[in-house]
Amino acid sequence: MAAATLASATASNCNLSTDPKRMAVINVRNNDDDPRVVNSSDLLLPLSGKSTGSAEREFDGAKLHHKLETNSMLAGLIRQGMKIEYSEWYLNFHEQHDVKLHLGAGVGMARVAQFILGQTEYPRVRALPD
């Protein structure tokens, strides 16, 4: 179910403490107890869906390499011009250094504005609409 649909269906704010693995980018760490999900926390808002989020980042170089090679999005990224070599520095850094557990986080300001303004159309709240 899409994040915006899920949040709208509840008619209130919704916080997800884990996300399905299939929705995550390669550097998000899988849950140790349930590898079908990743360790993250996302705030879903009615109308706008995922507005803020944070997630544990994978720090094991071998796991990162495996995730990149087996990721279903890789073929699409390659069609768009991405080369696996673009990620080598990131993979090498994690394989050659003792990287500790760390997190990433972000706020989608346009999504938050969409919720505050009650707009149903995302492009209407973006600074540079299409």
Side-chain angles (χ1 to χ4, degrees), residues 9-130:
T10 65
S12 63
N13 300 349
C14 178
N15 190 61
L16 296 179
S17 59
T18 57
D19 276 345
K21 180 174 80 170
R22 64 180 169 74
M23 296 174 61
V25 294
I26 68 153
N27 67 338
V28 176
R29 188 167 177 263
N30 289 65
N31 183 283
D32 290 334
D33 296 327
D34 186 353
R36 296 174 301 162
V37 296
V38 295
N39 296 334
S40 66
S41 180
D42 296 328
L43 175 64
L44 306 181
L45 296 173
L47 302 176
S48 57
K50 183 177 175 181
S51 301
T52 65
S54 63
E56 288 182 6
R57 300 299 188 217
E58 182 57 68
F59 54 91
D60 182 295
K63 287 182 182 178
L64 277 169
H65 210 112
H66 176 74
K67 282 183 160 192
L68 177 64
E69 291 174 343
T70 60
N71 189 291
S72 62
M73 295 187 315
L74 182 60
L77 293 171
I78 290 173
R79 279 194 305 275
Q80 294 175 37
M82 183 215 164
K83 293 181 176 21
I84 293 178
E85 295 81 38
Y86 296 167
S87 302
E88 288 299 321
W89 69 271
Y90 186 78
L91 298 170
N92 290 339
F93 183 86
H94 281 76
E95 290 172 353
Q96 297 168 6
H97 295 85
D98 185 24
V99 179
K100 303 293 185 204
L101 178 62
H102 57 287
L103 306 172
V107 176
M109 296 306 293
R111 298 284 183 186
V112 173
Q114 181 183 5
F115 169 72
I116 292 170
L117 297 171
Q119 289 290 324
T120 57
E121 298 177 33
Y122 175 72
R124 298 192 71 169
V125 298
R126 292 182 27 222
L128 302 169
D130 295 338

